[in-house]
Amino acid sequence: MKTILITGATSGFGEAIARLFAQNTDWQLVLTGRRQQRLDALQDELGGSSKVTTCCFDITDRNAVESTLDNLPSQFSDIDVLVNNAGLALGLEPADQTNLDDWEKMVDTNIKGLMYCTHKLLPKMRKRGQGYIINIGSIAGNWPYPGGNVYCASKAFVKQFSLALRADLLGSGIRVSNIEPGNAETEFSNVRFKANEQRAEKVYQGTVALTAQDIADTVWWLVNTPQHVNVTTMEIMPTEQANGPLAIYRRDS
Ligand code: NDP
Ligand code: 8X3
């Protein structure tokens, strides 16, 4: 039996990844998030406590992350795959008009939360001589856009951290991949626009976005590549999305 730990499993990519792996008898799941009710419902639906264990914590709380992961039920304590997925964007304002609390929350979640989980689980992977860390970065780490400011920067961190991990882990048997999705329809925009449904819906209007299932299928494929293969980076956009030209400011003539 293999064990996958998915952070942010209560919606979007994380939930779809959990559903996909739960269909397979080879896998047991550790699911994390802040919404206990959703975690309980997923546990019931995906096979009960013998197949799924849940950890309800705020990933920005270092002590909570460390003590919970230190005290996983023994059946779930050897993590084969860590999917660092929990994350969020808050706001789309120009840098000078943003709320500093939002910036801090993105750093605490997308960067520090990912660091806490990785740092806690890596030593055991190293000891076991195996493991797979799949980070969920973003095209935002490659292609900055107006209003992306700290969100883009946080995903650039994920990119570079993933590459640096590869360097540190050479010879350890541990694999590291960074998936960089583009526009995908999840609760992401509801969170970014703070429950402004209309604004969130507009992000996906008139275009075919990626689905959470697309990213789950990607994770499944990655995990099932042979042990000697390491896909370092995967940028995945909807067909109906592309990077734009550089912008030029023109004075009134
Ligand atoms: P969702 O909002 O649907 O899911 C986000 C998940 O992260 C939830 O399960 C949420 O759980 C969890 N999470 C957020 N903050 C915390 C926290 N402080 N502590 C614990 N868990 C937390 O969005 P997505 O599925 O789209 O996002 C997943 C990842 O994919 C994120 O890292 C996002 O940046 C990235 N991404 C998304 C894209 C998109 O267009 N949707 C594109 C590229 C990357 P809970 O609220 O229960 O805590
Ligand atoms: C989410 C995709 O382009 O909204 O990471 O930043 S984008």
Side-chain angles (χ1 to χ4, degrees):
M1 187 69 91
K2 287 173 286 183
T3 307
I4 182 167
L5 187 154
I6 305 159
T7 67
T10 53
S11 79
F13 299 164
E15 182 179 347
I17 297 163
R19 288 182 185 287
L20 185 55
F21 277 76
Q23 284 167 25
N24 194 296
T25 49
D26 289 347
W27 288 93
Q28 55 181 12
L29 289 74
V30 182
L31 306 181
T32 90
R34 287 165 301 181
R35 287 171 283 184
Q36 180 77 64
Q37 277 188 340
R38 288 201 187 191
L39 290 172
D40 291 345
L42 273 173
Q43 186 183 43
D44 286 349
E45 190 191 330
L46 301 183
S49 57
S50 59
K51 170 104 175 159
V52 179
T53 194
T54 63
C55 305
C56 190
F57 55 59
D58 185 328
I59 207 164
T60 68
D61 180 342
R62 176 174 162 177
N63 290 332
V65 173
E66 290 184 343
S67 65
T68 309
L69 297 186
D70 271 339
N71 290 294
L72 287 171
S74 58
Q75 175 200 336
F76 294 91
S77 63
D78 287 338
I79 304 299
D80 297 288
V81 179
L82 164 64
V83 183
N84 278 315
N85 165 74
L88 78 177
L90 290 170
L92 196 60
E93 287 77 37
D96 53 303
Q97 292 162 37
T98 54
N99 179 335
L100 188 57
D101 291 338
D102 286 348
W103 276 10
E104 228 170 352
K105 202 164 182 184
M106 286 188 277
V107 169
D108 288 347
T109 310
N110 302 354
I111 298 180
K112 291 168 84 176
L114 182 146
M115 280 166 33
Y116 300 153
C117 293
T118 307
H119 190 262
K120 179 45 64 188
L121 297 177
L122 254 184
K124 200 158 184 193
M125 285 185 177
R126 168 89 79 178
K127 219 175 191 172
R128 294 174 70 219
Q130 66 178 78
Y132 198 163
I133 297 172
I134 300 185
N135 292 327
I136 306 295
S138 169
I139 58 165
N142 300 330
W143 309 102
Y145 55 85
N149 42 70
V150 165
Y151 180 69
C152 293
S154 73
K155 293 301 185 178
F157 168 89
V158 175
K159 182 185 195 76
Q160 200 60 19
F161 183 58
S162 304
L163 295 175
L165 279 178
R166 287 274 299 128
D168 281 355
L169 296 171
L170 184 66
S172 69
I174 302 169
R175 301 194 278 169
V176 184
S177 297
N178 181 30
I179 303 178
E180 301 173 335
N183 194 32
E185 190 161 359
T186 60
E187 291 179 15
F188 178 83
S189 294
N190 302 66
V191 173
R192 168 169 253 172
F193 299 122
K194 302 175 182 172
N196 181 334
E197 298 288 334
Q198 273 187 335
R199 224 177 147 192
E201 276 169 20
K202 268 197 181 151
V203 175
Y204 311 110
Q205 251 167 30
T207 189
V208 181
L210 297 174
T211 64
Q213 186 65 40
D214 295 325
I215 302 309
D217 290 340
T218 303
V219 171
W220 179 257
W221 178 77
L222 283 173
V223 166
N224 286 289
T225 53
Q227 169 63 29
H228 69 277
V229 173
N230 191 106
V231 177
T232 308
T233 309
M234 280 182 92
E235 189 184 75
I236 309 170
M237 290 190 201
T239 307
E240 296 187 356
Q241 181 176 34
N243 54 301
L246 291 173
I248 297 176
Y249 174 72
R250 298 193 189 277
R251 294 146 197 263
D252 291 340
S253 48

